[in-house]
Amino acid sequence: MSICPKGKISKARRNKRRANWKMSAPNLVKCPKCGELMMPHRVCKNCGSYGQKEIIAVD
């Protein structure tokens, strides 16, 4: 036995629902130490700091 759908959903209705499912651009903020754009709440790839603390030693 298989699942019985409650009614036919048209292609237009299905596609309207899927129209809002899209990727968005990542939110970028300036690093407080070096000013490079980075993702929030992550270690800066340029200077290796998180907030004002040095986390990773970068050459």
Side-chain angles (χ1 to χ4, degrees), residues 2 9 11-12 15 18 26 37 40-41 43 51 56:
S2 64
I9 295 175
K11 292 173 192 159
N15 293 341
R18 292 180 180 168
L37 287 177
H41 307 287
V43 175
I56 301 169

Side-chain angles (χ1 to χ4, degrees), residues 16-31:
K16 278 184 207 171
R17 185 178 66 245
R18 292 180 180 168
N20 295 317
W21 192 81
K22 55 188 173 284
M23 289 187 72
S24 58
N27 185 26
L28 299 175
V29 296
K30 281 189 174 180
C31 174

Side-chain angles (χ1 to χ4, degrees), residues 2-58:
S2 64
I3 298 171
C4 181
K6 297 297 181 208
K8 177 167 170 62
I9 295 175
S10 68
K11 292 173 192 159
R13 191 186 268 297
R14 176 199 66 199
N15 293 341
K16 278 184 207 171
R17 185 178 66 245
R18 292 180 180 168
N20 295 317
W21 192 81
K22 55 188 173 284
M23 289 187 72
S24 58
N27 185 26
L28 299 175
V29 296
K30 281 189 174 180
C31 174
K33 199 167 187 182
C34 67
E36 187 79 17
L37 287 177
M38 57 176 260
M39 292 184 74
H41 307 287
R42 284 169 178 79
V43 175
C44 178
K45 293 180 182 177
N46 190 41
C47 65
S49 64
Y50 181 76
Q52 297 295 331
K53 296 178 184 175
E54 177 108 12
I55 304 296
I56 301 169
V58 179

